[in-house]
């Protein structure tokens, strides 16, 4: 039977666990299932510390002195903290030694829970600062988790399962938070911290499972190049070499992040306008078909062995997702799609475009260009830009005196994202086709590195 990892010399192993030893010789399907579920569980659990507060309305908060809605201010504060964390993560995540990832994940999520407990205790104005700190702690978790998965022949499958976590988890944890409120188990202020505690066992088990993953083997490095920490000079050189395409793609990602965050943070309000307010299960069931579509589509990319072709296929998938989001919105406004079908279709198109940026596109770019580094750098440049855009969108909607309903605002945002995104993606595809495929088709990344 073909195995994924060849055994290593016992003298080179350092008290390796039985699980790691088994994974080195496990069949590819078993390795993918184990690694994918571990990553899924870790990031799924993280969402229980980030998103449950959005399931509450916070309609009547005693002691809130400002005109701006308390919940909107909470969303802005958390997203601002998340955006700052992404900026910090450009350096921290790209330079993080693999041995420190698990400890960093647990420390940051633990601090985010402390911030949620503070949110429940302190006055409302200080509660906004607590949500900012919560976002600041959680913004680097994605890159730390993906660091366990990148640079492998199975990264597409592993990454697809990881990406499915943020599609499903937001709805599930909001359903869990709503259930705590409806059942009287927690107040609106304590519900976010209580939800995090409920998911803590999943977090601990999943992070332990990630630590058992062996590093990429020789065949992984041959096909996907070795993954190493990336210093500032290396980051600058890589970005400069592909600046026009990367700037265009980051612009697309900013729009996608705005749409995704708006749809996610104000799902309760949007579903309320669509006639489904108060139905806790709608958060979960509307995202399940989205996760299935995206998981299948991304997993198919593993069949593309050539890294340069895979970059272009990722961009094609992004363009298709953008088109689906725009066309579904038009069909909804024309009465051809019902509200539930529209939310599912927009979600499918949105995440078909959004998820490649979070893992697969940049992983393949590193491999296609034979760059000794890691995908965390590019992921965090895009993420930092995206969340800054999301903060600006929230401020614009609330301080520009816009009177659009939540649903109408999302429709307009979907059109802009679709049209501008398709044009920018096409531009980036042309630029990357020229730069990434400039080498001979017979030249492998490993051969290029050896020549250097």
């Amino acid at each position: 039977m073909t195995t994924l990892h060849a055994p290593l010399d016992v003298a080179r192993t350092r008290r390796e666990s039985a699980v790691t030893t088994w994974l080195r010789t496990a069949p590819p399907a078993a390795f993918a299932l184990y690694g994918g579920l571990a990553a899924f569980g870790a990031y799924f659990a993280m969402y229980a510390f980030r998103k449950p507060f959005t399931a509450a309305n916070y309609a009547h908060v005693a002691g809130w002195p400002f005109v701006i809605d308390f919940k909107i201010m909470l969303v802005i504060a958390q997203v601002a903290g998340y955006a700052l964390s992404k900026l910090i993560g450009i350096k921290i995540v790209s330079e993080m030694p693999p041995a420190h990832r698990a400890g960093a994940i647990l420390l940051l999520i633990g601090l985010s829970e402390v911030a949620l407990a503070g949110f429940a205790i302190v006055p409302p104005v200080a509660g906004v600062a607590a949500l900012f700190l919560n976002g600041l702690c959680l913004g680097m978790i994605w890159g730390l988790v993906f660091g366990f998965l990148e640079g492998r022949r199975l990264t597409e499958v592993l990454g697809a399962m990881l990406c499915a976590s943020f599609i499903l988890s937001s709805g599930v944890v909001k359903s869990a938070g709503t259930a705590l409120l409806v059942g009287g188990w927690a107040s609106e202020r304590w519900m976010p911290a209580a939800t995090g505690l409920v998911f803590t066992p999943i977090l601990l088990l999943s992070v332990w499972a990630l630590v058992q993953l062996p590093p990429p083997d020789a065949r992984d490095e041959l096909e996907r190049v070795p993954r190493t920490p990336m210093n500032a000079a290396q980051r600058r050189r890589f970005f400069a070499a592909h600046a026009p395409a990367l700037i265009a793609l980051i612009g697309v990602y900013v729009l996608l992040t705005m749409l995704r965050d708006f749809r996610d943070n104000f799902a309760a309000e949007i579903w309320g306008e669509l006639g489904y307010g108060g139905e806790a299960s709608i958060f979960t069931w509307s995202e399940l078909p989205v996760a299935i579509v995206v998981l299948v589509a991304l997993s198919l990319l593993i069949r593309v062995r050539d890294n340069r072709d895979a970059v272009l296929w990722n961009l094609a998938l992004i363009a298709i997702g953008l088109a689906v989001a725009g066309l579904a919105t038009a069909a909804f406004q024309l009465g051809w799609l019902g509200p539930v079908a529209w939310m599912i279709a927009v979600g499918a198109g949105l995440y078909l475009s959004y998820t490649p940026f979070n893992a697969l596109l940049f992983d393949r770019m590193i491999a296609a260009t034979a760059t000794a580094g890691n995908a965390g750098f590019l992921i965090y440049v895009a993420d930092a830009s995206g969340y800054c855009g999301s903060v600006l969108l929230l401020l614009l909607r609330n301080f520009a005196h816009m009177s659009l309903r939540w649903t109408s605002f999302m429709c307009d945002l979907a059109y802009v994202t679709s049209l501008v995104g398709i044009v920018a993606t096409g531009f980036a595809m042309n630029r990357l086709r020229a730069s990434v495929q400039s080498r001979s088709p017979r030249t492998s990344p490993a051969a290029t590195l050896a020549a250097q």
Side-chain angles (χ1 to χ4, degrees):
M1 178 183 291
T2 302
T3 59
L4 182 64
H5 291 274
L8 295 182
D9 189 333
V10 174
R12 292 192 301 151
T13 62
R14 248 183 353 191
R15 301 184 117 184
E16 188 171 271
S17 73
V19 175
T20 303
T21 301
W22 171 74
L23 286 169
R24 290 189 183 280
T25 56
F31 186 95
L33 183 62
Y34 176 95
L37 287 176
F40 178 96
Y43 205 70
F44 186 97
M46 184 282 290
Y47 255 70
F49 299 83
R50 181 184 170 203
K51 286 294 184 180
F53 85 93
T54 62
N57 290 320
Y58 301 106
H60 305 288
V61 178
W64 178 244
F66 303 110
V67 175
I68 185 172
D69 183 80
F70 180 63
K71 179 180 177 178
I72 292 174
M73 198 63 221
L74 293 179
V75 171
I76 292 173
Q78 191 194 53
V79 174
Y82 212 70
L84 179 58
S85 183
K86 297 295 183 182
L87 286 169
I88 298 170
I90 293 172
K91 175 178 173 63
I92 300 298
V93 172
S94 63
E95 297 181 4
M96 177 71 68
H100 297 168
R101 289 185 191 125
I105 291 171
L106 295 178
L107 175 62
L108 290 169
I109 295 181
L111 290 174
S112 77
E113 175 68 6
V114 172
L116 291 178
F119 169 71
I121 297 170
V122 300
V125 174
V128 172
L131 262 291
F132 174 84
L133 293 174
N134 172 266
L136 186 65
C137 293
L138 297 177
M140 283 182 273
I141 303 301
W142 175 267
L144 295 172
V145 173
F146 184 67
F148 287 99
L149 311 182
E150 71 168 303
R152 305 176 188 270
R153 285 166 286 146
L154 291 175
T155 292
E156 270 77 15
V157 176
L158 297 168
M161 294 177 72
L162 174 58
C163 290
S165 68
F166 65 64
I167 300 172
L168 279 176
S169 56
S170 182
V172 172
V173 301
K174 281 185 282 193
S175 292
T178 301
L180 288 175
L181 291 174
V182 172
W185 294 98
S187 66
E188 283 190 333
R189 298 290 292 278
W190 274 108
M191 177 269 288
T195 307
L197 289 177
V198 168
F199 284 83
T200 296
I202 297 175
L203 171 70
L204 296 175
L205 177 62
S206 299
V207 173
W208 175 86
L210 283 173
V211 172
Q212 311 312 308
L213 288 172
D217 66 8
R219 283 193 61 194
D220 289 326
E221 293 184 350
L222 182 67
E223 293 192 21
R224 299 294 179 94
V225 310
R227 302 308 167 99
T228 60
M230 208 172 187
N231 61 36
Q234 291 171 312
R235 296 194 296 267
R236 285 194 298 268
R237 283 198 299 270
F238 185 89
F239 194 90
H242 308 283
L246 287 174
I247 291 171
L249 289 174
I250 290 169
V252 175
Y253 189 71
V254 168
L255 291 171
L256 288 167
T257 305
M258 289 179 179
L259 178 58
R260 182 242 183 181
D261 265 18
F262 187 84
R263 177 181 178 272
D264 193 32
N265 288 327
F266 299 105
E269 287 78 7
I270 294 168
W271 281 117
E273 287 186 355
L274 295 174
Y276 293 86
E279 296 188 24
S281 62
I282 195 69
F283 295 112
T284 299
W285 293 114
S286 61
E287 302 298 350
L288 187 59
V290 174
I292 293 172
V293 169
V294 174
L295 182 62
V296 171
L298 295 182
S299 297
L300 290 175
L301 291 174
I302 196 174
R303 300 176 64 87
V304 185
R305 299 296 297 275
D306 185 276
N307 293 312
R308 292 155 294 176
D309 290 343
V311 170
L312 300 180
W313 275 108
N314 270 279
L315 293 175
L317 190 64
I318 291 169
I320 291 170
L322 289 164
V324 169
L327 292 172
T329 300
F332 168 68
Q333 291 194 315
L334 290 170
W336 300 346
L337 275 182
V340 175
W342 171 59
M343 285 288 278
I344 291 173
V346 169
L350 167 62
Y351 282 108
L352 278 175
S353 300
Y354 184 82
T355 49
F357 286 97
N358 288 271
L360 311 184
L361 172 62
F362 294 140
D363 181 75
R364 289 287 201 157
M365 280 188 69
I366 293 292
T369 56
T371 300
N374 57 77
F377 158 57
L378 291 174
I379 291 172
Y380 271 72
V381 170
D383 254 353
S385 304
Y387 282 102
C388 287
S390 187
V391 172
L392 290 175
L393 177 71
L394 290 170
L395 293 174
L396 175 67
R397 191 189 189 281
N398 289 282
F399 293 109
H401 305 293
M402 292 185 176
S403 58
L404 289 174
R405 299 169 71 239
W406 299 102
T407 307
S408 299
F409 191 86
M410 194 175 98
C411 287
D412 292 344
L413 187 56
Y415 286 135
V416 172
T417 301
S418 178
L419 294 173
V420 176
I422 289 172
V423 173
T425 302
F427 169 81
M429 186 179 293
N430 287 331
R431 295 302 299 251
L432 286 175
R433 182 183 288 112
S435 62
V436 173
Q437 295 194 321
S438 59
R439 302 194 320 270
S440 166
R442 299 288 183 183
T443 303
S444 70
T448 301
L449 283 172
Q452 294 173 346

